[in-house]
Amino acid sequence: MARKIFVAASGQNIGKTTISVSLLHLAQKKYGRVGFMKPLGPKPTVLRGIPVDKDAALMAQVYDLTKDLSYMSPVVVYPETSRQAIDGKLNLPELADRIMTSFAELEKNYDFIIIEGSGHPGVGSVLNLSNARIAKMLDAPVLMLSGGGVGNVIDTLAMNTALFKIEGADVRGVLVNKLFAEKRDTMLDYLTRAFAGQTFSVLGGFDYKPVLANPSLGRVARLLDLPLHGNCREVKRIIHNVQIGAASTQRVTEMLRDSTLLLVTSSRDELLVTLANLYQMPEFHPQIAGLIISGQAPVSGITQRIIDRSNIPYIRTNQTTTDLYKLITEDVSKLTAKDTEKLALIRSLADERLDFDAIDELFAQ
């Protein structure tokens, strides 16, 4: 039978997918055949004509697992799925059987399998397929992820591990993720002592790095469903700051920070021309990621020519800068196979921060 780890989390956006990418990367160094499964997929997409969860699609593309794609995401959840379940239009036992059958097929092909849960532990309960129940069904020991802190982590884990205990699932480890580097050792010491009487071990995850949550230019273009013009080779560039260009031209340029996406209305000719020219200067290129040009009014002809000649990446939209700023800054950037810079960073951080041998030994018990 394959070695397996069920990656759960105390809530959304804790870093399940990042940790799953990391574990696959590290496991491949030790095991010959490493697979992945997302039993319940609430983020549907289509890859090679097969409906799958987005995380399964990501892993299949990054780790060349597409031959088993149909088994990697056996149950895909759509917006109407919950209502269909309550209305009795879905065969719930058949969904559970589908997961079991798919996992049995994966076990034939892999020595080590990462199973990624969905959202918080209770997600999927409407289908009788909560994270805790699936972990028990697959007899997969659980690695529970939490955010950083002390009191909040203890309270949250007390609530979330309770569901796994009810289902009889085996929580072997708690991985504390998104730690502040300067407090890392202190936080892990307190949590290790706080959970001394529990059956699970406390492990350290990644330090908090905003870059992992920041979007790329391509992500923003997909979010707005608009094309990226100009230097499209920068599509993978990660945006570290978003700035509304409402101040004077001089003030906007003084406020530029590392890899800034600027939101500028189409009537600000002087500012648009200045930014386009600055983008071509080596000392400003690291600061200017690109533009979103907003507003109903057309960009003047000469300004448009200067923008095009500069090759600065830009997106053109009629939305207001206020709406755009809110949409972009509130978006949680999810990993895709196109985010090669982030994926490379995650692998590097995994090598540096995650003790895979310790995790492997814990889950081998």
Side-chain angles (χ1 to χ4, degrees):
M1 293 178 65
R3 183 77 54 80
K4 48 200 172 187
I5 296 179
F6 189 102
V7 180
S10 59
Q12 291 182 310
N13 307 321
I14 298 294
K16 285 192 307 298
T17 302
T18 298
I19 294 300
S20 294
V21 167
S22 301
L23 291 175
L24 276 163
H25 164 67
L26 295 171
Q28 284 186 336
K29 297 182 177 184
K30 187 172 183 178
Y31 293 90
R33 304 177 303 167
V34 181
F36 175 85
M37 187 186 209
K38 182 88 172 188
L40 186 74
K43 297 175 291 184
T45 188
V46 176
L47 180 63
R48 298 194 174 185
I50 301 173
V52 294
D53 181 82
K54 289 182 179 179
D55 290 332
L58 166 69
M59 302 300 180
Q61 293 173 91
V62 172
Y63 290 105
D64 192 25
L65 302 173
T66 51
K67 67 181 185 299
D68 288 314
L69 191 60
S70 59
Y71 304 127
M72 291 170 61
S73 185
V75 177
V76 183
V77 178
Y78 297 90
E80 66 274 13
T81 300
S82 294
R83 292 189 294 273
Q84 291 175 340
I86 296 169
D87 288 335
K89 296 179 180 179
L90 292 179
N91 184 340
L92 301 188
E94 189 275 330
L95 299 181
D97 288 343
R98 197 187 305 170
I99 291 173
M100 295 293 290
T101 301
S102 295
F103 190 75
E105 292 297 323
L106 290 176
E107 280 202 297
K108 296 176 183 177
N109 300 327
Y110 298 103
D111 305 310
F112 193 103
I113 302 174
I114 305 298
I115 308 162
E116 184 181 327
S118 301
H120 59 76
V123 168
S125 294
V126 70
L127 304 176
N128 291 333
L129 292 173
S130 68
N131 285 244
R133 180 160 293 185
I134 292 174
K136 178 60 177 177
M137 282 168 43
L138 299 180
D139 193 26
V142 177
L143 178 66
M144 174 72 76
L145 273 59
S146 79
V150 177
N152 180 59
V153 172
I154 295 169
D155 295 344
T156 302
L157 287 174
M159 176 178 64
N160 284 287
T161 56
L163 181 57
F164 286 88
K165 290 178 182 178
I166 290 171
E167 294 290 350
D170 180 12
V171 179
R172 295 265 183 94
V174 167
L175 190 143
V176 188
N177 207 29
K178 299 186 178 181
L179 290 158
F180 289 107
E182 64 276 13
K183 299 180 179 179
R184 180 185 181 91
D185 292 340
T186 302
M187 295 299 100
L188 291 175
D189 173 60
Y190 272 105
L191 291 172
T192 299
R193 287 188 282 146
F195 292 122
Q198 298 295 328
T199 57
F200 53 77
S201 299
V202 176
L203 306 165
F206 286 170
D207 294 338
Y208 176 69
K209 289 189 177 294
V211 65
L212 293 178
N214 291 344
S216 64
L217 282 171
R219 167 68 182 183
V220 173
R222 293 191 296 272
L223 180 66
L224 301 178
D225 195 22
L226 292 168
L228 180 68
H229 302 282
N231 186 3
C232 290
R233 288 176 298 178
E234 295 272 58
V235 68
K236 297 175 183 176
R237 182 168 176 178
I238 298 171
I239 298 161
H240 299 326
N241 299 283
V242 181
Q243 178 181 334
I244 296 178
S248 67
T249 298
Q250 180 66 29
R251 182 61 178 151
V252 170
T253 58
E254 290 174 349
M255 293 170 63
L256 286 172
R257 297 163 65 191
D258 182 43
S259 200
T260 299
L261 177 67
L262 294 120
L263 314 183
V264 183
T265 57
S266 56
S267 59
R268 294 290 307 275
D269 292 282
E270 181 185 356
L271 179 56
L272 289 169
V273 168
T274 299
L275 292 170
N277 286 324
L278 291 177
Y279 180 75
Q280 300 175 81
M281 301 179 185
E283 64 267 34
F284 282 97
H285 191 273
Q287 294 178 291
I288 302 173
L291 301 171
I292 296 185
I293 305 173
S294 62
Q296 299 285 342
V299 178
S300 69
I302 187 64
T303 299
Q304 187 65 59
R305 287 173 60 188
I306 293 169
I307 290 171
D308 292 337
R309 186 178 297 174
S310 74
N311 209 27
I312 187 171
Y314 74 91
I315 297 170
R316 183 70 173 95
T317 177
N318 293 331
Q319 291 177 265
T320 67
T321 53
T322 303
D323 289 343
L324 288 165
Y325 184 84
K326 182 178 180 182
L327 183 65
I328 294 167
T329 56
E330 291 183 357
D331 175 58
V332 177
S333 182
K334 294 296 185 182
L335 276 172
T336 71
K338 296 179 181 179
D339 293 323
T340 53
E341 291 183 21
K342 282 190 182 182
L343 289 165
L345 175 59
I346 288 168
R347 293 189 187 101
S348 175
L349 290 172
D351 290 332
E352 175 187 338
R353 278 300 188 190
L354 295 186
D355 186 347
F356 182 75
D357 286 336
I359 294 172
D360 192 30
E361 182 180 353
L362 179 64
F363 280 78
Q365 295 172 9

